[in-house]
Amino acid sequence: MNRYAVPAEPISIQDVHTSPPLVPSKPFADSSRLAPGNAFFPPPPPRLHAEAETIARTVSEAPTAGSSSYDRRRKRDKDRGRSGSRRGKGEWKKLLWVKQPKYPDNYTDPPTFLSHLQRNPRLQPYDFWPLVADSTVIVQHLASVTIFVCCFVGINREQFSPVSMVSLGSAGTILGWVLWDFWVGQSEAAKMTSRSAITNALDLRNEEPDYRSNRKPDLDHSRPASRSGETSGLGLTLVPSDPAHKHHYQSTDHLFMSPISSELSSASSTTNPQPVASFSTSMSPSPGYQSPTNILSQRNQQRLTTMKSAVLIYCVLHGLSPILKSLTKSTSPDSIWALSTILMCINILFFDYGGGVGVKFPASLSTNAALMSSTVLASRLPSTTHVFSLTLFSIEVFGLFPVFRRHLRHVSWRGHLVLTLFLVLGAGGVSGITLSKNGGWQAMILGMLFWSVGAALGMGGCSWWLIGLQRYKNVVVGPWDPARPVIRGGGWE
Amino acid sequence: MPYNIAMVSDFFFPQPGGVESHIYQLSTKLIDRGHKIIIITHAYKGRTGVRYLTNGLKVYHVPFLVIYRESTFPTVFSFFPIFRNIVLREEIEIVHGHASLSSFCHEAILHARTMGLRTVFTDHSLFGFADAGSILTNKLLKFTLSDVDHVICVSHTCKENTVLRASLDPLMVSVIPNAVVAENFAPLGYHKTGSNGALGVYPGAISPPPPRPLGPNDIITIVVISRLFYNKGTDLLIAAIPRILAGDPNVRFIIAGSGPKAIDLEQMLERRVLQDKVELLGPVRHEEVRDVMVRGHIYLHPSLTEAFGTVIVEAASCGLYVVCTRVGGIPEVLPQHMTKFAKPEEDDIVAETGKAIASLRANKVRTERFHDQVKMMYSWTNVAERTERVYDGITGALSEEDFYGDNSGNSWSATRGRAGVQSFALIDRLKRYYGCGVWAGKLFCLCVIIDYLILKFLEVWAPRADIDIAKSWPKKQTHVIRVEDEEADEPGPLKSTSVRSFRDYALRRDKRP
């Protein structure tokens, strides 16, 4: 038996054998602790004050919350497995290797049983106004879908002229593009200055030729991101705003092409996709390690390619419109309405509401569903001009507008709110006009009123509802859950 | 008092694994204690019909549709006719199901309760509460365990988990750990004389093998034996290996096992050009594990979840210093002086392994003593004894006070009947099932009623009187048993293939008319 008296482990089997028996006579009196009974009795009704307490604590501890919970957790982790040795002799130990004949196998130790169980460990109580603010994204998308559908109805009923609609849309798109181009330029300039600052500070210039020499042109679309990550992984964390810059940076060459080229390829799937491919490869000279003097010509080159692809889309659509017009001639209108409704629902459900500016292909399912829906709808229209206008409009609304919205939200919150307001009013106005019989301005005002009130009520009500539902959240976490491995990520390169 | 016990599980030999060897070892030890054991599992490829293993352990391979990783298709009722036939034929009193992913086991427990038998369930694994698969499994478990006499878990963490998952009375759940056959996991150069001493006769007379002092430049080998899956922590391993090797030039790795993460591991080795320091063995059979383990000094176990972790006990028994993650039931398994615990983080694993290497080099760890210590901690004989106590408790051979302790007056032990054993009356069973949930409770009640009706139908269709009683395997003479007991734990079934197949063959020839 002496063999067990190892300095690291003060308890020995002998101790357990000789100790007096402890009968678990004490019921689970401590109400703050989880008793075994909690496992099979229904949980107590949700306590509002507890929730408030949590919120208060989170607020008061906000700066240190992360570290303190980590400490607590670490302490608890340390206790595990060692709890036996800390407690007095003869007490039950939560260990398997100690034979404890004084305790039956089904003995349940009240202080330790389920002592590592946590409920809702990562609960983040929602606040009302941030929720409402976040829901504006959904409202924006709903409004733009409504505007599109109403425009279709208007064209179909010959209430609107398709040419005026598409000119309006195109004007808006060009305006948006100019703005977007401006923002990208700004962020790139900021990026360049910070980058040159780093480069000068750490004198990493001599590494640049290396990167250039082994860069493969066809891999470039994936390279810049990883390379910039690499650079920051070299210990260049002294720039606090680096991740944000990286986002912008990625967006410069990806966002630029992706909407247009993807739209083009999906819209013109019947034609040869070769020009698109050549476009995206011609885009490839990445601005990764260009010197600041080079950037202007680079940007101009990008602008040029955008123009080119815009013209290409325009021409291809023109060519395709007659085909599209006769696409669903043999299908009955009922199934067209049903199909396009379903596709629009898919678009709304799968839209990437949370995506930031750096998303490469935001929710391709959603975009493709919307474009297919608009194609099918367009094929119902009487003339080629109609078809062309509606398809172009749908590309603008579903392909390019979300990119702009995302960027606007990133750049200016005020602008985002204003845009939301405009969209809500616009959706209300257009739906008022299309729903009324003759479509006067009264109907428009009424529609705007309805939409504004509805949007406000919906945003407020849903947020309030979600906050109310949160009290039913009951996540149980304990040592049985698979641990999340923490890997520093250095193991691969 | 000997019982007739049926062990039911989807998982049994020829498939290798922890549950399988648990069932086999427990059964043989219970047979040694005078009980009659049969095992009911599904038909494996090349294994059908009735088989006898060592010691007269009878295995029924029931033909059944296998859907996923040797689990059978969960049909709630279709197992009942053949199950009833086997149970009546073998005069079974206690049905003992294993493994919560085995639908065979769940069905057997349900039918056994309908037929008025005592039931025990052993849980071998941990489940979370978050993902869809776990929710489904937990509901199924709740259904089965609403009406079970006792549950056995392999660790205290596993008990907490099972109590939460199936909403059980904690007193109904016993903790009986796994064990290892220590003789199969002896360190190199271990003398058999030590094993007699470890029985407790002359503890002072043990002569442990001479310690192997490690110099500062000796090679230290780290062994990893695990299936290379995500939840076994292979990602951590892949991240940690280069750093451990960089920290000490005299360290080598031996990695055995296969799985979907093997490619990642190989890729890492190629990228880092570590092939000469890391040896990949591929899959090894269970009986070869010891031969791999004794080649090393440290056993590294980076698992992310583990109910018990038999392999670290095996490693310690082979005299390896164990570095493992502090997850699941692992902290309960081995004492502090045999293990280094790390958080499931790359940095911590590297740090703790470094400490383990340092203390081995400083000769601070008496690894040569581990084998005898592990042998005293875990043995299947002990497991069988404790399981027998559970059987005594549920059949009423042990009084309620003895079995459940004094606090039976507490409100949270109300699930038991007054006699300390669960009532078989249909209405009482329905009451237990009804509490499972708003919709689930009603569905479960429906299932139980249908099961009851099927039983009534079977009683008419295939009356008990028409079912022959199978002859039991002849009990050994007393002196034979004593000889068996003095022998070391029997080798695993895979090792005694020749003997067993000869017996099988002889037996089948005997049975031929």
Side-chain angles (χ1 to χ4, degrees):
Chain A
M1 289 299 171
N2 282 335
R3 273 177 293 129
Y4 280 90
V6 177
E9 189 60 47
I11 46 166
S12 68
I13 291 179
Q14 193 73 36
D15 297 336
V16 186
H17 278 248
T18 50
S19 56
L22 248 185
V23 178
S25 56
K26 186 183 69 174
F28 306 104
D30 189 1
S31 63
S32 67
R33 201 187 283 283
L34 264 179
N38 292 25
F40 59 95
F41 286 136
R47 290 169 301 175
L48 272 176
H49 67 267
E51 199 175 299
E53 221 174 80
T54 324
I55 296 171
R57 208 183 55 223
T58 326
V59 170
S60 66
E61 284 182 357
T64 59
S67 64
S68 72
S69 72
Y70 175 72
D71 284 348
R72 254 181 283 136
R73 173 153 203 163
R74 202 168 57 177
K75 208 189 282 169
R76 203 172 37 231
D77 279 351
K78 271 194 177 167
D79 284 349
R80 289 203 63 208
R82 194 185 295 181
S83 60
S85 56
R86 290 240 180 102
R87 303 171 63 198
K89 284 183 179 180
E91 279 190 39
W92 182 84
K93 295 171 191 66
K94 196 178 173 180
L95 295 174
L96 294 170
W97 59 274
V98 188
K99 295 222 169 69
Q100 310 188 56
K102 301 296 177 194
Y103 294 94
D105 286 329
N106 56 355
Y107 172 70
T108 306
D109 190 46
T112 56
F113 189 70
L114 291 178
S115 59
H116 293 284
L117 181 138
Q118 288 173 281
R119 279 188 174 169
N120 297 334
R122 283 181 289 277
L123 182 73
Q124 284 183 338
Y126 295 128
D127 287 334
F128 183 74
W129 288 111
L131 266 187
V132 173
D134 285 344
S135 64
T136 49
V137 185
I138 303 173
V139 171
Q140 277 189 351
H141 189 66
L142 284 179
S144 38
V145 170
T146 313
I147 289 175
F148 175 78
V149 172
C150 291
C151 284
F152 167 75
V153 175
I155 294 175
N156 204 19
R157 285 205 212 142
E158 316 245 322
Q159 266 175 329
F160 309 151
S161 134
V163 178
S164 65
M165 178 196 75
V166 82
S167 337
L168 221 83
S170 304
T173 309
I174 289 168
L175 185 72
W177 178 71
V178 168
L179 267 177
W180 178 81
D181 194 58
F182 174 65
W183 291 329
V184 167
Q186 258 186 341
S187 68
E188 202 158 291
K191 175 80 186 171
M192 282 325 284
T193 51
S194 71
R195 177 184 300 277
S196 60
I198 300 164
T199 326
N200 289 334
L202 294 183
D203 200 23
L204 284 170
R205 255 172 210 281
N206 47 353
E207 285 197 46
E208 284 181 23
D210 274 357
Y211 283 127
R212 267 173 192 259
S213 57
N214 56 21
R215 182 198 306 158
K216 295 186 185 67
D218 52 337
L219 283 177
D220 258 341
H221 267 270
S222 63
R223 288 298 283 181
S226 70
R227 200 181 303 139
S228 62
E230 208 169 88
T231 325
S232 62
L234 286 172
L236 310 186
T237 41
L238 45 146
V239 187
S241 55
D242 199 31
H245 283 304
K246 208 160 74 191
H247 265 305
H248 283 246
Y249 185 53
Q250 266 176 275
S251 65
T252 50
D253 50 346
H254 295 308
L255 268 181
F256 200 88
M257 272 309 291
S258 60
I260 297 169
S261 55
S262 69
E263 259 53 284
L264 183 56
S265 55
S266 59
S268 64
S269 54
T270 47
T271 58
N272 193 354
Q274 279 305 327
V276 187
S278 68
F279 259 138
S280 51
T281 45
S282 73
M283 268 295 293
S284 58
S286 118
Y289 279 79
Q290 302 282 345
S291 63
T293 51
N294 223 350
I295 184 121
L296 251 175
S297 61
Q298 173 96 38
R299 295 274 317 283
N300 280 336
Q301 208 179 348
Q302 286 180 353
R303 286 185 190 129
L304 207 70
T305 34
T306 314
M307 304 279 183
K308 255 159 65 182
S309 49
V311 171
L312 195 84
I313 290 176
Y314 185 84
C315 299
V316 168
L317 269 187
H318 245 308
L320 277 181
S321 301
I323 305 172
L324 286 182
K325 191 175 140 274
S326 59
L327 185 67
T328 59
K329 239 177 195 154
S330 55
T331 318
S332 82
D334 289 358
S335 34
I336 294 292
W337 306 144
L339 183 66
S340 59
T341 311
I342 290 170
L343 288 170
M344 277 301 170
C345 288
I346 290 177
N347 168 261
I348 290 168
L349 287 180
F350 289 86
F351 187 73
D352 184 16
Y353 295 103
V357 275
V359 183
K360 261 192 208 167
F361 290 100
S364 56
L365 173 66
S366 157
T367 314
N368 284 328
L371 288 180
M372 184 171 167
S373 168
S374 60
T375 312
V376 169
L377 284 181
S379 65
R380 291 284 103 177
L381 292 175
S383 84
T384 317
T385 321
H386 284 75
V387 173
F388 169 74
S389 314
L390 194 78
T391 319
L392 191 60
F393 190 58
S394 79
I395 290 176
E396 285 163 1
V397 169
F398 295 112
L400 302 177
F401 193 41
V403 179
F404 174 75
R405 285 192 330 236
R406 228 172 261 141
H407 234 90
L408 178 66
R409 181 157 164 259
H410 186 75
V411 169
S412 138
W413 178 250
R414 199 178 294 258
H416 176 73
L417 281 187
V418 171
L419 182 67
T420 313
L421 195 67
F422 265 112
L423 278 175
V424 167
L425 290 182
V430 186
S431 54
I433 291 171
T434 42
L435 286 181
S436 66
K437 271 183 187 145
N438 38 16
W441 59 272
Q442 296 101 331
M444 193 170 88
I445 301 263
L446 203 68
M448 285 178 178
L449 208 67
F450 264 113
W451 253 82
S452 317
V453 173
L457 282 184
M459 286 155 75
C462 288
S463 308
W464 177 76
W465 188 35
L466 186 61
I467 290 172
L469 283 182
Q470 211 189 8
R471 74 170 71 166
Y472 296 106
K473 196 176 170 69
N474 185 21
V475 180
V476 178
V477 172
W480 45 81
D481 285 312
R484 271 182 211 160
V486 179
I487 295 168
R488 289 206 320 181
W492 280 104
E493 296 304 321
Chain B
M1 173 180 171
Y3 302 109
N4 296 341
I5 303 157
M7 302 273 176
V8 189
S9 179
D10 269 330
F11 312 114
F12 196 64
F13 293 118
Q15 189 194 348
V19 180
E20 291 82 353
S21 65
H22 177 106
I23 296 172
Y24 173 76
Q25 298 287 355
L26 178 64
S27 303
T28 48
K29 291 299 165 210
L30 283 171
I31 288 174
D32 287 347
R33 298 182 67 80
H35 301 287
K36 172 187 170 180
I37 311 281
I38 63 160
I39 290 171
I40 306 176
T41 183
H42 67 256
Y44 281 85
K45 200 179 174 192
R47 280 295 156 109
T48 49
V50 182
R51 293 245 176 177
Y52 280 89
L53 303 187
T54 326
N55 238 353
L57 178 60
K58 193 174 185 179
V59 186
Y60 281 88
H61 290 279
V62 179
F64 225 84
L65 177 67
V66 175
I67 46 164
Y68 178 64
R69 285 174 75 167
E70 294 301 342
S71 293
T72 44
F73 185 69
T75 61
V76 184
F77 307 111
S78 64
F79 182 40
F80 201 1
I82 193 160
F83 176 74
R84 174 174 169 274
N85 199 305
I86 294 172
V87 162
L88 292 179
R89 186 179 293 277
E90 300 284 348
E91 300 174 291
I92 295 299
E93 296 153 332
I94 295 172
V95 172
H96 190 157
H98 288 266
S100 49
L101 277 181
S102 152
S103 50
F104 236 52
C105 146
H106 292 302
E107 288 185 32
I109 288 176
L110 170 69
H111 304 323
R113 290 297 299 178
T114 307
M115 292 176 66
L117 307 177
R118 298 290 164 201
T119 50
V120 182
F121 172 76
T122 298
D123 202 353
H124 294 261
S125 43
L126 301 175
F127 278 88
F129 297 91
D131 56 312
S134 299
I135 291 169
L136 196 70
T137 322
N138 292 348
K139 210 66 185 171
L140 188 70
L141 193 76
K142 205 169 176 178
F143 173 39
T144 319
L145 298 194
S146 296
D147 190 29
V148 74
D149 289 291
H150 209 82
V151 177
I152 296 173
C153 290
V154 292
S155 65
H156 297 289
T157 304
C158 183
K159 170 173 174 172
E160 293 176 354
N161 186 230
T162 309
V163 163
L164 283 180
R165 282 161 62 204
S167 308
L168 293 169
D169 176 353
L171 283 183
M172 260 180 63
V173 185
S174 288
V175 175
I176 300 177
N178 276 325
V180 291
V181 184
E183 284 68 26
N184 291 351
F185 292 94
L188 272 185
Y190 182 81
H191 302 297
K192 196 74 178 174
T193 48
S195 74
N196 283 333
L199 289 176
V201 188
Y202 299 115
I206 309 172
S207 56
R212 298 168 284 171
L214 280 162
N217 290 322
D218 284 343
I219 298 287
I220 285 199
T221 308
I222 301 178
V223 179
V224 180
I225 299 179
S226 90
R227 288 177 292 123
L228 301 175
F229 279 88
Y230 167 77
N231 61 1
K232 293 287 176 190
T234 312
D235 294 321
L236 283 174
L237 184 70
I238 291 170
I241 284 177
R243 296 182 56 193
I244 295 171
L245 289 175
D248 190 332
N250 296 319
V251 170
R252 300 288 180 270
F253 271 89
I254 296 177
I255 301 174
S258 61
K261 291 273 179 188
I263 294 177
D264 290 351
L265 184 62
E266 283 167 22
Q267 242 170 356
M268 184 278 289
L269 294 184
E270 275 171 28
R271 236 173 238 230
R272 300 266 179 165
V273 200
L274 293 173
Q275 287 94 336
D276 54 339
K277 291 197 170 183
V278 181
E279 188 181 346
L280 292 183
L281 296 180
V284 293
R285 305 200 310 172
H286 188 242
E287 60 265 32
E288 294 165 353
V289 163
R290 182 254 170 195
D291 301 332
V292 176
M293 278 180 174
V294 294
R295 292 170 59 191
H297 305 88
I298 291 176
Y299 182 79
L300 178 60
H301 191 66
S303 180
L304 302 182
T305 175
E306 199 77 66
F308 180 80
T310 318
V311 68
I312 64 171
V313 183
E314 291 170 351
S317 173
C318 288
L320 271 70
Y321 196 37
V322 177
V323 179
C324 54
T325 43
R326 193 189 293 277
V327 295
I330 287 182
E332 307 164 19
V333 170
L334 283 178
Q336 289 271 312
H337 68 274
M338 293 188 184
T339 46
K340 278 262 182 234
F341 291 114
K343 290 195 282 278
E345 296 166 12
E346 180 192 339
D347 294 343
D348 211 40
I349 286 184
V350 172
E352 293 298 328
T353 314
K355 282 185 205 166
I357 293 171
S359 49
L360 274 184
R361 287 213 195 282
N363 290 315
K364 279 187 197 155
V365 191
R366 306 291 306 272
T367 49
E368 69 277 359
R369 288 180 173 172
F370 285 1
H371 178 68
D372 291 332
Q373 292 169 353
V374 168
K375 197 191 249 179
M376 290 197 60
M377 291 171 199
Y378 296 106
S379 82
W380 284 110
T381 320
N382 177 263
V383 172
E385 273 168 28
R386 292 159 80 172
T387 311
E388 196 180 68
R389 183 174 170 277
V390 169
Y391 295 152
D392 285 342
I394 59 171
T395 48
L398 220 63
S399 75
E400 186 188 3
E401 248 173 47
D402 282 345
F403 190 46
Y404 288 111
D406 247 356
N407 53 352
S408 50
N410 268 0
S411 58
W412 48 278
S413 59
T415 43
R416 293 195 306 273
R418 247 174 302 148
V421 288
Q422 299 230 2
S423 153
F424 288 115
L426 182 64
I427 190 70
D428 286 343
R429 296 182 62 218
L430 287 181
K431 273 182 205 161
R432 283 178 218 128
Y433 285 114
Y434 194 74
C436 283
V438 181
W439 296 105
K442 295 174 178 71
L443 183 72
F444 293 169
C445 281
L446 201 69
C447 288
V448 174
I449 291 169
I450 293 175
D451 210 50
Y452 183 75
L453 292 178
I454 292 177
L455 176 70
K456 290 293 156 200
F457 170 75
L458 285 176
E459 293 289 348
V460 175
W461 191 53
R464 274 163 197 262
D466 290 358
I467 296 175
D468 296 333
I469 306 297
K471 269 193 181 173
S472 300
W473 186 265
K475 288 253 169 73
K476 287 172 195 154
Q477 304 298 313
T478 33
H479 68 270
V480 178
I481 289 175
R482 205 177 305 130
V483 169
E484 284 282 320
D485 276 351
E486 273 175 19
E487 267 178 22
D489 284 85
E490 294 228 347
L494 292 177
K495 275 200 167 172
S496 61
T497 336
S498 55
V499 180
R500 195 185 66 231
S501 53
F502 173 69
R503 280 193 193 180
D504 277 359
Y505 175 65
L507 200 104
R508 262 185 264 147
R509 241 182 39 171
D510 285 352
K511 277 209 155 181
R512 210 171 283 164

